[in-house]
Amino acid sequence: MVEDSLSPAAITDGLGTRFIGQEITCYPSLPSTNDMAKQKAQEGAKEGTVIVAEEQTAGRGRIKRRWLSPRGSIALSIILYPPLDYLPCLIMVASLAVTRSIEQVTGLKAKIKWPNDVLVNDKKICGILVESDVRGNKVDYAVIGIGINVNLEVSDFPRIAPMATSLSRELGRDVSRRDMVQGLLAQAEKLYLALAAGDSVFRQWRDNLVTLGKKVQVSSGEATCRGIAESVAADGSLLLRQPDGSLLKIVAGDVTLRR
Ligand code: BTN
């Protein structure tokens, strides 16, 4: 069994970040780390504070879905107070930080399915939920919630088994969650700080999307549309070329790749 402690001391030891992860609280169990992070943000938690849970009992996904985070997975949320124009970039920061930390720690190649699912060998290994509270043109807080399937047997969870995988399943061995969390927080800070320097994060995110150039079906609320995922805009929207030749801008949705 690899070293697998997710205590604050274990995570901060050698972390080397300026602010992300310098304050950490680890809980054995929480309904949702995002909910706890929002509460802490409202109470004035420091920027970069991280909430970690060994398991979530009511983990939340995008589009009001549930997110399974049993023991062996990573469930964490990062509290930030970004300027308003950073908000659309937070999903880019988070998904790139996850792909990079997976590659750094395990050597596995990870890709992003628009907008921010991380896939390994075409199966979902990580979900990201960014939530924020905006008053007028000021962001009160933003929370980046990240769930990664690390050491778990996805076949134990029939609801997700057909489309999900885990790091341990892909590698045939367990992975240090501490190394993963440290890598993730360090990459997240590097990318977050890079947002001040222009559009390089956007370009890296776009270049890591598996979705572009593919035939896709996009469900957005009640509506479903089909076409070729032609490009993405700087605000993270997907630009879908429809069968009638028109270009549709999709701000939020769920993409299925079609054959
Ligand atoms: C998705 O793919 O639908 C997004 C899943 C996001 C899950 C993470 S786990 C940590 C954080 N806390 C939550 O309740 N959700 C996010």
Side-chain angles (χ1 to χ4, degrees), residues 166-193:
S166 65
L167 294 177
S168 60
R169 187 189 180 101
E170 294 300 322
L171 290 169
R173 62 171 169 84
D174 279 357
V175 171
S176 161
R177 289 184 309 148
R178 192 191 78 138
D179 290 354
M180 275 302 304
V181 172
Q182 283 193 334
L184 176 60
L185 299 181
Q187 289 294 343
E189 181 171 288
K190 205 166 150 187
L191 288 154
Y192 185 69
L193 292 173

Short mmCIF file of all heavy atoms in Angstrom, two decimals, residues 166-193:
data_model
loop_
_atom_site.label_atom_id
_atom_site.label_comp_id
_atom_site.label_asym_id
_atom_site.label_seq_id
_atom_site.Cartn_x
_atom_site.Cartn_y
_atom_site.Cartn_z
N SER A 166 -10.42 4.79 -13.06
CA SER A 166 -9.67 5.35 -11.93
C SER A 166 -8.19 5.20 -12.23
O SER A 166 -7.79 4.41 -13.11
CB SER A 166 -10.02 4.60 -10.64
OG SER A 166 -9.58 3.26 -10.74
N LEU A 167 -7.36 5.93 -11.49
CA LEU A 167 -5.91 5.82 -11.72
C LEU A 167 -5.43 4.41 -11.41
O LEU A 167 -4.63 3.84 -12.15
CB LEU A 167 -5.17 6.85 -10.85
CG LEU A 167 -5.43 8.32 -11.20
CD1 LEU A 167 -4.70 9.24 -10.23
CD2 LEU A 167 -5.00 8.63 -12.64
N SER A 168 -5.94 3.82 -10.30
CA SER A 168 -5.47 2.48 -9.93
C SER A 168 -5.88 1.44 -10.98
O SER A 168 -5.13 0.52 -11.29
CB SER A 168 -6.00 2.07 -8.55
OG SER A 168 -7.41 2.06 -8.53
N ARG A 169 -7.05 1.65 -11.58
CA ARG A 169 -7.49 0.71 -12.61
C ARG A 169 -6.59 0.81 -13.85
O ARG A 169 -6.19 -0.19 -14.44
CB ARG A 169 -8.93 1.01 -12.99
CG ARG A 169 -9.50 -0.03 -13.94
CD ARG A 169 -10.84 0.38 -14.48
NE ARG A 169 -11.30 -0.66 -15.37
CZ ARG A 169 -12.20 -1.57 -15.07
NH1 ARG A 169 -12.72 -1.59 -13.88
NH2 ARG A 169 -12.56 -2.47 -15.96
N GLU A 170 -6.25 2.02 -14.23
CA GLU A 170 -5.43 2.22 -15.42
C GLU A 170 -4.00 1.72 -15.22
O GLU A 170 -3.37 1.26 -16.16
CB GLU A 170 -5.40 3.70 -15.82
CG GLU A 170 -6.75 4.24 -16.28
CD GLU A 170 -7.32 3.51 -17.50
OE1 GLU A 170 -6.54 3.13 -18.40
OE2 GLU A 170 -8.54 3.29 -17.54
N LEU A 171 -3.50 1.83 -13.97
CA LEU A 171 -2.09 1.49 -13.72
C LEU A 171 -1.90 0.09 -13.17
O LEU A 171 -0.79 -0.45 -13.17
CB LEU A 171 -1.49 2.47 -12.71
CG LEU A 171 -1.28 3.90 -13.21
CD1 LEU A 171 -0.96 4.81 -12.03
CD2 LEU A 171 -0.18 3.98 -14.25
N GLY A 172 -2.98 -0.49 -12.63
CA GLY A 172 -2.86 -1.81 -11.99
C GLY A 172 -2.16 -1.72 -10.64
O GLY A 172 -1.62 -2.72 -10.14
N ARG A 173 -2.10 -0.55 -10.05
CA ARG A 173 -1.52 -0.38 -8.71
C ARG A 173 -2.09 0.89 -8.09
O ARG A 173 -2.60 1.75 -8.81
CB ARG A 173 0.01 -0.25 -8.77
CG ARG A 173 0.48 0.96 -9.56
CD ARG A 173 1.98 1.21 -9.43
NE ARG A 173 2.42 2.20 -10.40
CZ ARG A 173 2.35 3.51 -10.23
NH1 ARG A 173 1.86 4.01 -9.10
NH2 ARG A 173 2.77 4.35 -11.16
N ASP A 174 -1.98 0.99 -6.76
CA ASP A 174 -2.45 2.20 -6.09
C ASP A 174 -1.51 3.37 -6.34
O ASP A 174 -0.33 3.18 -6.63
CB ASP A 174 -2.59 1.96 -4.58
CG ASP A 174 -3.90 1.23 -4.24
OD1 ASP A 174 -4.69 0.98 -5.18
OD2 ASP A 174 -4.12 0.93 -3.06
N VAL A 175 -2.06 4.57 -6.18
CA VAL A 175 -1.31 5.81 -6.41
C VAL A 175 -1.38 6.63 -5.13
O VAL A 175 -2.41 6.62 -4.44
CB VAL A 175 -1.97 6.59 -7.58
CG1 VAL A 175 -1.37 7.98 -7.73
CG2 VAL A 175 -1.85 5.80 -8.88
N SER A 176 -0.31 7.34 -4.81
CA SER A 176 -0.31 8.18 -3.61
C SER A 176 -1.25 9.37 -3.82
O SER A 176 -1.01 10.22 -4.68
CB SER A 176 1.11 8.69 -3.32
OG SER A 176 1.04 9.81 -2.47
N ARG A 177 -2.31 9.42 -3.02
CA ARG A 177 -3.24 10.56 -3.14
C ARG A 177 -2.55 11.83 -2.67
O ARG A 177 -2.84 12.92 -3.15
CB ARG A 177 -4.50 10.29 -2.32
CG ARG A 177 -5.39 9.21 -2.93
CD ARG A 177 -6.67 9.02 -2.15
NE ARG A 177 -6.37 8.86 -0.74
CZ ARG A 177 -7.16 9.27 0.24
NH1 ARG A 177 -8.29 9.86 -0.03
NH2 ARG A 177 -6.82 9.08 1.49
N ARG A 178 -1.62 11.70 -1.74
CA ARG A 178 -0.89 12.89 -1.27
C ARG A 178 -0.09 13.51 -2.43
O ARG A 178 -0.13 14.71 -2.64
CB ARG A 178 0.06 12.50 -0.14
CG ARG A 178 0.62 13.69 0.56
CD ARG A 178 1.74 13.29 1.47
NE ARG A 178 2.94 13.06 0.67
CZ ARG A 178 4.14 13.46 1.04
NH1 ARG A 178 4.32 14.08 2.17
NH2 ARG A 178 5.18 13.22 0.28
N ASP A 179 0.61 12.67 -3.19
CA ASP A 179 1.37 13.19 -4.34
C ASP A 179 0.43 13.85 -5.34
O ASP A 179 0.74 14.88 -5.92
CB ASP A 179 2.14 12.07 -5.05
CG ASP A 179 3.29 11.53 -4.21
OD1 ASP A 179 3.55 12.11 -3.14
OD2 ASP A 179 3.91 10.53 -4.63
N MET A 180 -0.73 13.22 -5.54
CA MET A 180 -1.71 13.78 -6.49
C MET A 180 -2.21 15.14 -6.01
O MET A 180 -2.28 16.09 -6.79
CB MET A 180 -2.90 12.83 -6.66
CG MET A 180 -2.71 11.72 -7.67
SD MET A 180 -2.35 12.33 -9.33
CE MET A 180 -3.75 13.40 -9.63
N VAL A 181 -2.56 15.24 -4.73
CA VAL A 181 -3.10 16.51 -4.21
C VAL A 181 -2.02 17.59 -4.27
O VAL A 181 -2.27 18.72 -4.70
CB VAL A 181 -3.63 16.34 -2.76
CG1 VAL A 181 -3.99 17.69 -2.16
CG2 VAL A 181 -4.85 15.43 -2.75
N GLN A 182 -0.80 17.24 -3.88
CA GLN A 182 0.29 18.24 -3.93
C GLN A 182 0.51 18.72 -5.36
O GLN A 182 0.62 19.92 -5.62
CB GLN A 182 1.59 17.64 -3.40
CG GLN A 182 1.63 17.56 -1.89
CD GLN A 182 3.03 17.25 -1.37
OE1 GLN A 182 3.85 16.66 -2.06
NE2 GLN A 182 3.31 17.63 -0.13
N GLY A 183 0.57 17.78 -6.30
CA GLY A 183 0.79 18.15 -7.71
C GLY A 183 -0.34 19.03 -8.21
O GLY A 183 -0.12 20.04 -8.89
N LEU A 184 -1.55 18.66 -7.85
CA LEU A 184 -2.74 19.39 -8.30
C LEU A 184 -2.75 20.82 -7.77
O LEU A 184 -2.98 21.78 -8.52
CB LEU A 184 -3.97 18.62 -7.79
CG LEU A 184 -5.34 19.19 -8.03
CD1 LEU A 184 -5.60 19.35 -9.52
CD2 LEU A 184 -6.40 18.28 -7.41
N LEU A 185 -2.46 21.00 -6.48
CA LEU A 185 -2.50 22.34 -5.89
C LEU A 185 -1.38 23.21 -6.46
O LEU A 185 -1.58 24.40 -6.76
CB LEU A 185 -2.39 22.26 -4.36
CG LEU A 185 -3.53 21.48 -3.66
CD1 LEU A 185 -3.32 21.48 -2.15
CD2 LEU A 185 -4.91 22.05 -4.00
N ALA A 186 -0.21 22.62 -6.66
CA ALA A 186 0.91 23.38 -7.22
C ALA A 186 0.60 23.82 -8.65
O ALA A 186 0.83 24.98 -9.03
CB ALA A 186 2.19 22.54 -7.18
N GLN A 187 0.03 22.92 -9.45
CA GLN A 187 -0.31 23.28 -10.83
C GLN A 187 -1.43 24.31 -10.87
O GLN A 187 -1.43 25.21 -11.69
CB GLN A 187 -0.74 22.03 -11.62
CG GLN A 187 0.38 21.06 -11.92
CD GLN A 187 1.41 21.67 -12.88
OE1 GLN A 187 1.16 22.66 -13.56
NE2 GLN A 187 2.59 21.07 -12.92
N ALA A 188 -2.41 24.15 -9.96
CA ALA A 188 -3.53 25.09 -9.94
C ALA A 188 -3.02 26.50 -9.65
O ALA A 188 -3.43 27.47 -10.28
CB ALA A 188 -4.57 24.66 -8.90
N GLU A 189 -2.09 26.61 -8.70
CA GLU A 189 -1.58 27.95 -8.38
C GLU A 189 -0.79 28.55 -9.56
O GLU A 189 -0.95 29.72 -9.89
CB GLU A 189 -0.69 27.90 -7.13
CG GLU A 189 -0.18 29.28 -6.79
CD GLU A 189 0.53 29.35 -5.47
OE1 GLU A 189 -0.15 29.28 -4.43
OE2 GLU A 189 1.77 29.49 -5.46
N LYS A 190 0.03 27.72 -10.17
CA LYS A 190 0.84 28.20 -11.31
C LYS A 190 -0.07 28.72 -12.42
O LYS A 190 0.13 29.81 -12.97
CB LYS A 190 1.65 27.00 -11.83
CG LYS A 190 2.91 27.35 -12.54
CD LYS A 190 3.74 26.07 -12.65
CE LYS A 190 4.58 26.12 -13.89
NZ LYS A 190 5.26 24.87 -14.13
N LEU A 191 -1.12 27.96 -12.73
CA LEU A 191 -2.03 28.35 -13.81
C LEU A 191 -2.86 29.56 -13.41
O LEU A 191 -3.11 30.46 -14.22
CB LEU A 191 -2.93 27.17 -14.17
CG LEU A 191 -2.20 26.04 -14.91
CD1 LEU A 191 -2.90 24.70 -14.70
CD2 LEU A 191 -2.12 26.35 -16.40
N TYR A 192 -3.29 29.61 -12.16
CA TYR A 192 -4.10 30.75 -11.68
C TYR A 192 -3.27 32.03 -11.77
O TYR A 192 -3.76 33.06 -12.25
CB TYR A 192 -4.55 30.47 -10.24
CG TYR A 192 -5.49 31.52 -9.68
CD1 TYR A 192 -6.78 31.65 -10.17
CD2 TYR A 192 -5.08 32.37 -8.66
CE1 TYR A 192 -7.65 32.61 -9.65
CE2 TYR A 192 -5.94 33.32 -8.14
CZ TYR A 192 -7.22 33.44 -8.64
OH TYR A 192 -8.07 34.39 -8.13
N LEU A 193 -2.01 31.96 -11.37
CA LEU A 193 -1.16 33.15 -11.44
C LEU A 193 -0.90 33.54 -12.90
O LEU A 193 -0.75 34.71 -13.22
CB LEU A 193 0.16 32.91 -10.69
CG LEU A 193 0.02 32.77 -9.17
CD1 LEU A 193 1.35 32.36 -8.54
CD2 LEU A 193 -0.48 34.07 -8.54
#
